[in-house]
Every structure is written in structure tokens, then in C-alpha cells.
């Protein structure tokens, strides 16, 4: 499912960034995938995906 419509980023891309590229927070996610750097509507959802991915590990 798409989390960030502005950049076309899906939840699986976010999970992959967390699991394989050491992304642990929104700032790092933005640096990797631009998530949240345009309209910002996706920030809450992106944070949830990061949180649940880290908990699942
Ligand atoms: Fe992510 Fe707009 S939906 S910045």
C-alpha cells in the first residue's frame, strides 16, 4: 500500500529501508526515500510503519 503519495513510496519500501539500510526514524527515512518532504500528510503513517517494523524485529 502507498504511504507517501507525493513520492510513490509503499509500506514495503519503508520496511525494507528499516531492515536493510538502518533507517530508524523519520529523518533517516526522509534522507533515503524523501517520505514526508513535500505535503507531510504521510508522516504519521510512515512513523507507524517504522515503529511496527522495529517492534517486529
Ligand atoms: Fe508524503 Fe506528501 S504524501 S510528502
Amino acid at each position: 500500500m502507498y504511504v507517501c503519495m507525493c513520492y510513490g513510496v509503499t509500506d514495503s519500501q519503508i520496511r525494507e529501508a528499516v531492515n536493510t539500510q538502518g533507517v530508524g526514524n523519520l529523518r533517516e527515512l526522509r534522507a533515503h526515500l524523501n517520505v514526508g518532504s513535500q505535503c507531510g500528510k504521510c508522516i504519521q503513517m510512515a512513523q507507524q510503519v517504522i515503529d511496527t517494523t522495529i517492534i517486529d524485529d
Side-chain angles (χ1 to χ4, degrees):
M1 118 198 127
Y2 280 104
V3 173
C4 180
M5 297 305 277
C6 292
Y7 291 99
V9 178
T10 63
D11 61 331
S12 24
Q13 283 175 281
I14 295 174
R15 285 184 215 287
E16 189 179 317
V18 171
N19 287 328
T20 67
Q21 295 173 51
V23 169
N25 57 45
L26 274 177
R27 187 177 50 79
E28 292 166 357
L29 186 63
R30 193 177 301 135
H32 277 77
L33 296 172
N34 285 327
V35 169
S37 56
Q38 191 148 342
C39 75
K41 283 185 189 153
C42 57
I43 284 176
Q44 206 176 348
M45 177 72 82
Q47 182 69 64
Q48 272 178 30
V49 175
I50 293 172
D51 290 347
T52 56
T53 306
I54 290 173
I55 289 166
D56 286 349
D57 279 349

Short mmCIF file of all heavy atoms in Angstrom, two decimals:
data_model
loop_
_atom_site.label_atom_id
_atom_site.label_comp_id
_atom_site.label_asym_id
_atom_site.label_seq_id
_atom_site.Cartn_x
_atom_site.Cartn_y
_atom_site.Cartn_z
N MET A 1 0.85 -1.19 0.00
CA MET A 1 0.00 0.00 0.00
C MET A 1 0.89 1.24 0.00
O MET A 1 1.99 1.22 0.55
CB MET A 1 -0.92 -0.08 1.22
CG MET A 1 -0.77 1.04 2.24
SD MET A 1 -1.47 0.63 3.84
CE MET A 1 -0.07 0.98 4.87
N TYR A 2 0.36 2.29 -0.64
CA TYR A 2 1.14 3.53 -0.66
C TYR A 2 1.03 4.28 0.66
O TYR A 2 -0.05 4.45 1.19
CB TYR A 2 0.65 4.44 -1.79
CG TYR A 2 1.19 4.03 -3.13
CD1 TYR A 2 0.39 3.38 -4.04
CD2 TYR A 2 2.51 4.28 -3.45
CE1 TYR A 2 0.88 2.97 -5.26
CE2 TYR A 2 3.02 3.87 -4.67
CZ TYR A 2 2.20 3.22 -5.58
OH TYR A 2 2.71 2.82 -6.78
N VAL A 3 2.15 4.69 1.19
CA VAL A 3 2.18 5.53 2.37
C VAL A 3 2.35 6.98 1.94
O VAL A 3 1.62 7.87 2.37
CB VAL A 3 3.32 5.11 3.32
CG1 VAL A 3 3.46 6.10 4.47
CG2 VAL A 3 3.07 3.70 3.85
N CYS A 4 3.31 7.22 1.07
CA CYS A 4 3.58 8.58 0.61
C CYS A 4 3.18 8.70 -0.86
O CYS A 4 3.82 8.13 -1.74
CB CYS A 4 5.07 8.89 0.78
SG CYS A 4 5.52 10.55 0.24
N MET A 5 2.09 9.42 -1.10
CA MET A 5 1.60 9.58 -2.47
C MET A 5 2.49 10.54 -3.25
O MET A 5 2.67 10.40 -4.45
CB MET A 5 0.16 10.14 -2.44
CG MET A 5 -0.83 9.22 -1.78
SD MET A 5 -0.84 7.57 -2.51
CE MET A 5 -1.91 7.85 -3.91
N CYS A 6 3.05 11.53 -2.60
CA CYS A 6 3.86 12.53 -3.31
C CYS A 6 5.06 11.87 -3.99
O CYS A 6 5.45 12.25 -5.08
CB CYS A 6 4.34 13.60 -2.35
SG CYS A 6 3.01 14.64 -1.72
N TYR A 7 5.65 10.89 -3.33
CA TYR A 7 6.84 10.25 -3.88
C TYR A 7 6.60 8.79 -4.26
O TYR A 7 7.53 8.09 -4.65
CB TYR A 7 8.01 10.36 -2.89
CG TYR A 7 8.48 11.78 -2.77
CD1 TYR A 7 8.08 12.57 -1.70
CD2 TYR A 7 9.30 12.35 -3.74
CE1 TYR A 7 8.48 13.90 -1.61
CE2 TYR A 7 9.70 13.66 -3.66
CZ TYR A 7 9.29 14.43 -2.59
OH TYR A 7 9.68 15.74 -2.51
N GLY A 8 5.35 8.32 -4.14
CA GLY A 8 5.02 6.96 -4.53
C GLY A 8 5.78 5.91 -3.74
O GLY A 8 6.29 4.94 -4.30
N VAL A 9 5.83 6.11 -2.42
CA VAL A 9 6.57 5.18 -1.57
C VAL A 9 5.59 4.27 -0.83
O VAL A 9 4.62 4.74 -0.24
CB VAL A 9 7.45 5.94 -0.56
CG1 VAL A 9 8.19 4.97 0.35
CG2 VAL A 9 8.46 6.82 -1.31
N THR A 10 5.87 2.96 -0.87
CA THR A 10 4.97 1.99 -0.24
C THR A 10 5.48 1.58 1.14
O THR A 10 6.64 1.80 1.48
CB THR A 10 4.88 0.72 -1.11
OG1 THR A 10 6.18 0.12 -1.17
CG2 THR A 10 4.42 1.05 -2.51
N ASP A 11 4.58 0.93 1.89
CA ASP A 11 4.99 0.44 3.21
C ASP A 11 6.10 -0.60 3.09
O ASP A 11 7.00 -0.64 3.92
CB ASP A 11 3.80 -0.10 4.01
CG ASP A 11 3.10 -1.27 3.34
OD1 ASP A 11 3.13 -1.34 2.10
OD2 ASP A 11 2.53 -2.10 4.05
N SER A 12 6.08 -1.41 2.03
CA SER A 12 7.16 -2.41 1.94
C SER A 12 8.51 -1.76 1.65
O SER A 12 9.54 -2.24 2.12
CB SER A 12 6.85 -3.51 0.93
OG SER A 12 5.96 -3.11 -0.03
N GLN A 13 8.51 -0.66 0.91
CA GLN A 13 9.78 0.06 0.70
C GLN A 13 10.30 0.63 2.02
O GLN A 13 11.51 0.63 2.27
CB GLN A 13 9.59 1.21 -0.29
CG GLN A 13 9.50 0.77 -1.73
CD GLN A 13 9.19 1.96 -2.63
OE1 GLN A 13 8.05 2.38 -2.72
NE2 GLN A 13 10.20 2.52 -3.25
N ILE A 14 9.39 1.12 2.84
CA ILE A 14 9.80 1.65 4.14
C ILE A 14 10.35 0.53 5.02
O ILE A 14 11.42 0.67 5.63
CB ILE A 14 8.62 2.37 4.84
CG1 ILE A 14 8.22 3.60 4.01
CG2 ILE A 14 9.00 2.78 6.27
CD1 ILE A 14 6.98 4.31 4.52
N ARG A 15 9.64 -0.61 5.05
CA ARG A 15 10.12 -1.74 5.85
C ARG A 15 11.50 -2.20 5.38
O ARG A 15 12.38 -2.52 6.19
CB ARG A 15 9.15 -2.92 5.74
CG ARG A 15 7.89 -2.73 6.55
CD ARG A 15 7.00 -3.96 6.50
NE ARG A 15 5.60 -3.60 6.51
CZ ARG A 15 4.96 -3.14 7.58
NH1 ARG A 15 5.59 -3.02 8.72
NH2 ARG A 15 3.69 -2.81 7.52
N GLU A 16 11.68 -2.21 4.07
CA GLU A 16 12.97 -2.63 3.54
C GLU A 16 14.08 -1.66 3.96
O GLU A 16 15.19 -2.07 4.32
CB GLU A 16 12.90 -2.72 2.02
CG GLU A 16 14.13 -3.37 1.42
CD GLU A 16 14.02 -3.47 -0.10
OE1 GLU A 16 12.95 -3.83 -0.59
OE2 GLU A 16 15.02 -3.16 -0.76
N ALA A 17 13.78 -0.37 3.93
CA ALA A 17 14.77 0.63 4.34
C ALA A 17 15.14 0.45 5.80
O ALA A 17 16.30 0.58 6.20
CB ALA A 17 14.23 2.04 4.08
N VAL A 18 14.12 0.13 6.64
CA VAL A 18 14.38 -0.09 8.06
C VAL A 18 15.23 -1.35 8.24
O VAL A 18 16.20 -1.36 9.00
CB VAL A 18 13.05 -0.21 8.85
CG1 VAL A 18 13.30 -0.66 10.29
CG2 VAL A 18 12.30 1.12 8.83
N ASN A 19 14.87 -2.40 7.52
CA ASN A 19 15.54 -3.69 7.73
C ASN A 19 16.91 -3.79 7.08
O ASN A 19 17.78 -4.51 7.57
CB ASN A 19 14.65 -4.83 7.21
CG ASN A 19 13.46 -5.07 8.10
OD1 ASN A 19 13.55 -4.89 9.31
ND2 ASN A 19 12.35 -5.48 7.52
N THR A 20 17.13 -3.09 5.97
CA THR A 20 18.39 -3.29 5.25
C THR A 20 19.28 -2.06 5.22
O THR A 20 20.46 -2.16 4.89
CB THR A 20 18.14 -3.73 3.79
OG1 THR A 20 17.53 -2.65 3.09
CG2 THR A 20 17.25 -4.96 3.72
N GLN A 21 18.75 -0.88 5.53
CA GLN A 21 19.58 0.32 5.42
C GLN A 21 19.71 1.08 6.72
O GLN A 21 20.17 2.22 6.73
CB GLN A 21 19.03 1.22 4.32
CG GLN A 21 19.15 0.55 2.95
CD GLN A 21 18.45 1.34 1.86
OE1 GLN A 21 18.68 2.53 1.74
NE2 GLN A 21 17.60 0.68 1.12
N GLY A 22 19.27 0.45 7.80
CA GLY A 22 19.48 1.04 9.11
C GLY A 22 18.64 2.26 9.40
O GLY A 22 18.95 3.04 10.29
N VAL A 23 17.53 2.43 8.66
CA VAL A 23 16.64 3.56 8.93
C VAL A 23 15.89 3.31 10.23
O VAL A 23 15.28 2.25 10.41
CB VAL A 23 15.64 3.75 7.76
CG1 VAL A 23 14.54 4.74 8.13
CG2 VAL A 23 16.38 4.22 6.52
N GLY A 24 15.95 4.27 11.16
CA GLY A 24 15.32 4.07 12.45
C GLY A 24 14.39 5.19 12.85
O GLY A 24 13.72 5.11 13.88
N ASN A 25 14.30 6.23 12.05
CA ASN A 25 13.38 7.33 12.38
C ASN A 25 13.01 8.08 11.10
O ASN A 25 13.53 7.80 10.02
CB ASN A 25 14.01 8.26 13.42
CG ASN A 25 15.34 8.81 12.95
OD1 ASN A 25 15.48 9.25 11.80
ND2 ASN A 25 16.34 8.79 13.81
N LEU A 26 12.09 9.04 11.26
CA LEU A 26 11.58 9.76 10.09
C LEU A 26 12.65 10.55 9.36
O LEU A 26 12.65 10.65 8.15
CB LEU A 26 10.47 10.72 10.53
CG LEU A 26 9.07 10.13 10.62
CD1 LEU A 26 8.12 11.19 11.14
CD2 LEU A 26 8.61 9.63 9.27
N ARG A 27 13.58 11.13 10.11
CA ARG A 27 14.62 11.94 9.48
C ARG A 27 15.47 11.07 8.55
O ARG A 27 15.77 11.45 7.41
CB ARG A 27 15.50 12.58 10.57
CG ARG A 27 16.51 13.57 10.04
CD ARG A 27 17.28 14.22 11.18
NE ARG A 27 17.83 13.25 12.13
CZ ARG A 27 18.94 12.54 11.91
NH1 ARG A 27 19.62 12.72 10.82
NH2 ARG A 27 19.36 11.67 12.81
N GLU A 28 15.81 9.88 9.04
CA GLU A 28 16.61 8.97 8.20
C GLU A 28 15.78 8.45 7.02
O GLU A 28 16.31 8.28 5.92
CB GLU A 28 17.12 7.81 9.06
CG GLU A 28 18.15 8.27 10.06
CD GLU A 28 18.43 7.25 11.15
OE1 GLU A 28 17.79 6.17 11.18
OE2 GLU A 28 19.30 7.53 11.98
N LEU A 29 14.50 8.22 7.27
CA LEU A 29 13.64 7.75 6.18
C LEU A 29 13.55 8.81 5.09
O LEU A 29 13.60 8.52 3.90
CB LEU A 29 12.25 7.42 6.73
CG LEU A 29 11.30 6.79 5.74
CD1 LEU A 29 11.80 5.43 5.27
CD2 LEU A 29 9.91 6.66 6.32
N ARG A 30 13.44 10.06 5.50
CA ARG A 30 13.36 11.17 4.54
C ARG A 30 14.64 11.24 3.72
O ARG A 30 14.62 11.46 2.51
CB ARG A 30 13.11 12.48 5.29
CG ARG A 30 12.71 13.60 4.38
CD ARG A 30 12.41 14.86 5.17
NE ARG A 30 11.35 14.67 6.14
CZ ARG A 30 11.40 15.11 7.40
NH1 ARG A 30 12.45 15.78 7.84
NH2 ARG A 30 10.40 14.89 8.22
N ALA A 31 15.75 11.04 4.39
CA ALA A 31 17.03 11.09 3.68
C ALA A 31 17.13 9.99 2.63
O ALA A 31 17.74 10.17 1.58
CB ALA A 31 18.17 10.99 4.69
N HIS A 32 16.50 8.83 2.89
CA HIS A 32 16.59 7.72 1.95
C HIS A 32 15.53 7.78 0.86
O HIS A 32 15.81 7.50 -0.30
CB HIS A 32 16.44 6.38 2.69
CG HIS A 32 17.71 5.91 3.30
ND1 HIS A 32 18.22 6.44 4.47
CD2 HIS A 32 18.59 4.98 2.89
CE1 HIS A 32 19.36 5.83 4.74
NE2 HIS A 32 19.61 4.95 3.80
N LEU A 33 14.28 8.09 1.24
CA LEU A 33 13.17 7.93 0.29
C LEU A 33 12.35 9.19 0.07
O LEU A 33 11.35 9.15 -0.64
CB LEU A 33 12.23 6.81 0.80
CG LEU A 33 12.81 5.40 0.89
CD1 LEU A 33 11.83 4.47 1.59
CD2 LEU A 33 13.12 4.85 -0.50
N ASN A 34 12.74 10.31 0.67
CA ASN A 34 12.01 11.58 0.54
C ASN A 34 10.66 11.62 1.24
O ASN A 34 9.96 12.63 1.16
CB ASN A 34 11.78 11.96 -0.94
CG ASN A 34 13.03 12.45 -1.60
OD1 ASN A 34 13.85 13.09 -0.95
ND2 ASN A 34 13.19 12.16 -2.87
N VAL A 35 10.30 10.52 1.90
CA VAL A 35 8.98 10.44 2.52
C VAL A 35 8.75 11.64 3.45
O VAL A 35 9.57 11.93 4.31
CB VAL A 35 8.84 9.13 3.32
CG1 VAL A 35 7.60 9.13 4.18
CG2 VAL A 35 8.82 7.95 2.36
N GLY A 36 7.63 12.32 3.26
CA GLY A 36 7.24 13.41 4.15
C GLY A 36 7.84 14.75 3.80
O GLY A 36 7.56 15.75 4.47
N SER A 37 8.63 14.83 2.75
CA SER A 37 9.30 16.10 2.49
C SER A 37 8.52 17.02 1.55
O SER A 37 8.98 18.10 1.23
CB SER A 37 10.71 15.87 1.97
OG SER A 37 10.68 15.07 0.83
N GLN A 38 7.33 16.58 1.13
CA GLN A 38 6.52 17.51 0.34
C GLN A 38 5.30 17.99 1.12
O GLN A 38 5.35 18.99 1.80
CB GLN A 38 6.12 16.88 -1.00
CG GLN A 38 5.53 17.93 -1.92
CD GLN A 38 5.82 17.67 -3.37
OE1 GLN A 38 6.72 16.91 -3.71
NE2 GLN A 38 5.08 18.30 -4.23
N CYS A 39 4.17 17.26 1.06
CA CYS A 39 2.97 17.76 1.74
C CYS A 39 2.95 17.40 3.22
O CYS A 39 2.28 18.06 4.02
CB CYS A 39 1.71 17.22 1.08
SG CYS A 39 1.39 15.49 1.45
N GLY A 40 3.66 16.33 3.61
CA GLY A 40 3.73 15.96 5.01
C GLY A 40 2.57 15.12 5.52
O GLY A 40 2.56 14.71 6.67
N LYS A 41 1.58 14.83 4.67
CA LYS A 41 0.40 14.08 5.13
C LYS A 41 0.75 12.65 5.52
O LYS A 41 0.00 12.00 6.24
CB LYS A 41 -0.66 14.05 4.02
CG LYS A 41 -1.41 15.34 3.90
CD LYS A 41 -2.52 15.20 2.88
CE LYS A 41 -3.14 16.55 2.57
NZ LYS A 41 -3.72 16.61 1.24
N CYS A 42 1.83 12.14 5.00
CA CYS A 42 2.17 10.73 5.21
C CYS A 42 2.99 10.50 6.49
O CYS A 42 3.28 9.36 6.83
CB CYS A 42 2.99 10.25 4.02
SG CYS A 42 4.47 11.25 3.78
N ILE A 43 3.35 11.57 7.17
CA ILE A 43 4.32 11.43 8.26
C ILE A 43 3.85 10.49 9.36
O ILE A 43 4.59 9.62 9.81
CB ILE A 43 4.67 12.83 8.83
CG1 ILE A 43 5.60 13.54 7.85
CG2 ILE A 43 5.31 12.73 10.21
CD1 ILE A 43 5.95 14.95 8.23
N GLN A 44 2.58 10.64 9.76
CA GLN A 44 2.08 9.80 10.85
C GLN A 44 2.08 8.32 10.45
O GLN A 44 2.52 7.46 11.22
CB GLN A 44 0.66 10.24 11.22
CG GLN A 44 0.32 9.91 12.65
CD GLN A 44 -1.05 10.44 13.04
OE1 GLN A 44 -1.65 11.23 12.32
NE2 GLN A 44 -1.54 9.99 14.18
N MET A 45 1.61 8.05 9.25
CA MET A 45 1.59 6.67 8.77
C MET A 45 3.01 6.12 8.62
O MET A 45 3.29 4.98 9.00
CB MET A 45 0.85 6.62 7.43
CG MET A 45 0.84 5.26 6.80
SD MET A 45 -0.23 4.09 7.64
CE MET A 45 -1.81 4.55 6.94
N ALA A 46 3.91 6.94 8.11
CA ALA A 46 5.29 6.49 7.94
C ALA A 46 5.92 6.15 9.29
O ALA A 46 6.62 5.15 9.43
CB ALA A 46 6.10 7.58 7.24
N GLN A 47 5.63 6.97 10.29
CA GLN A 47 6.15 6.70 11.63
C GLN A 47 5.62 5.38 12.16
O GLN A 47 6.36 4.58 12.75
CB GLN A 47 5.76 7.84 12.58
CG GLN A 47 6.30 7.67 14.00
CD GLN A 47 7.81 7.83 14.05
OE1 GLN A 47 8.34 8.90 13.77
NE2 GLN A 47 8.54 6.77 14.38
N GLN A 48 4.33 5.12 11.91
CA GLN A 48 3.75 3.84 12.36
C GLN A 48 4.42 2.65 11.69
O GLN A 48 4.66 1.63 12.33
CB GLN A 48 2.26 3.81 12.03
CG GLN A 48 1.39 4.42 13.10
CD GLN A 48 -0.08 4.41 12.69
OE1 GLN A 48 -0.51 3.54 11.96
NE2 GLN A 48 -0.82 5.39 13.17
N VAL A 49 4.70 2.79 10.40
CA VAL A 49 5.35 1.68 9.69
C VAL A 49 6.75 1.45 10.26
O VAL A 49 7.16 0.31 10.50
CB VAL A 49 5.41 1.95 8.17
CG1 VAL A 49 6.18 0.84 7.47
CG2 VAL A 49 4.00 2.04 7.60
N ILE A 50 7.49 2.52 10.51
CA ILE A 50 8.82 2.38 11.12
C ILE A 50 8.69 1.68 12.47
O ILE A 50 9.39 0.71 12.75
CB ILE A 50 9.49 3.76 11.31
CG1 ILE A 50 9.81 4.40 9.96
CG2 ILE A 50 10.78 3.62 12.13
CD1 ILE A 50 10.31 5.84 10.08
N ASP A 51 7.78 2.18 13.31
CA ASP A 51 7.62 1.63 14.66
C ASP A 51 7.28 0.14 14.63
O ASP A 51 7.90 -0.65 15.33
CB ASP A 51 6.54 2.39 15.43
CG ASP A 51 6.95 3.80 15.79
OD1 ASP A 51 8.17 4.11 15.67
OD2 ASP A 51 6.08 4.59 16.18
N THR A 52 6.29 -0.23 13.82
CA THR A 52 5.89 -1.64 13.83
C THR A 52 6.97 -2.52 13.21
O THR A 52 7.13 -3.66 13.61
CB THR A 52 4.56 -1.85 13.07
OG1 THR A 52 4.69 -1.34 11.75
CG2 THR A 52 3.42 -1.17 13.77
N THR A 53 7.73 -2.00 12.27
CA THR A 53 8.81 -2.80 11.69
C THR A 53 9.90 -3.05 12.72
O THR A 53 10.42 -4.16 12.83
CB THR A 53 9.41 -2.08 10.46
OG1 THR A 53 8.36 -1.78 9.55
CG2 THR A 53 10.44 -2.95 9.78
N ILE A 54 10.22 -2.03 13.49
CA ILE A 54 11.26 -2.19 14.51
C ILE A 54 10.79 -3.16 15.60
O ILE A 54 11.53 -4.03 16.04
CB ILE A 54 11.64 -0.81 15.10
CG1 ILE A 54 12.39 -0.02 14.03
CG2 ILE A 54 12.51 -0.97 16.34
CD1 ILE A 54 12.68 1.41 14.42
N ILE A 55 9.51 -3.05 16.00
CA ILE A 55 8.98 -3.94 17.04
C ILE A 55 8.98 -5.39 16.54
O ILE A 55 9.31 -6.30 17.28
CB ILE A 55 7.55 -3.50 17.44
CG1 ILE A 55 7.62 -2.19 18.21
CG2 ILE A 55 6.86 -4.57 18.30
CD1 ILE A 55 6.29 -1.49 18.36
N ASP A 56 8.62 -5.59 15.27
CA ASP A 56 8.55 -6.94 14.72
C ASP A 56 9.91 -7.64 14.70
O ASP A 56 9.97 -8.86 14.65
CB ASP A 56 7.99 -6.91 13.28
CG ASP A 56 6.49 -6.65 13.29
OD1 ASP A 56 5.89 -6.72 14.38
OD2 ASP A 56 5.93 -6.39 12.22
N ASP A 57 10.98 -6.87 14.69
CA ASP A 57 12.31 -7.48 14.54
C ASP A 57 12.73 -8.25 15.76
O ASP A 57 12.78 -8.02 16.80
CB ASP A 57 13.36 -6.41 14.24
CG ASP A 57 13.30 -6.07 12.75
OD1 ASP A 57 12.63 -6.82 12.02
OD2 ASP A 57 13.89 -5.06 12.35
FE1 LIG B 1 4.31 12.02 1.58
FE2 LIG B 1 3.03 14.09 0.54
S1 LIG B 1 2.29 12.07 0.86
S2 LIG B 1 5.03 14.05 1.34
#
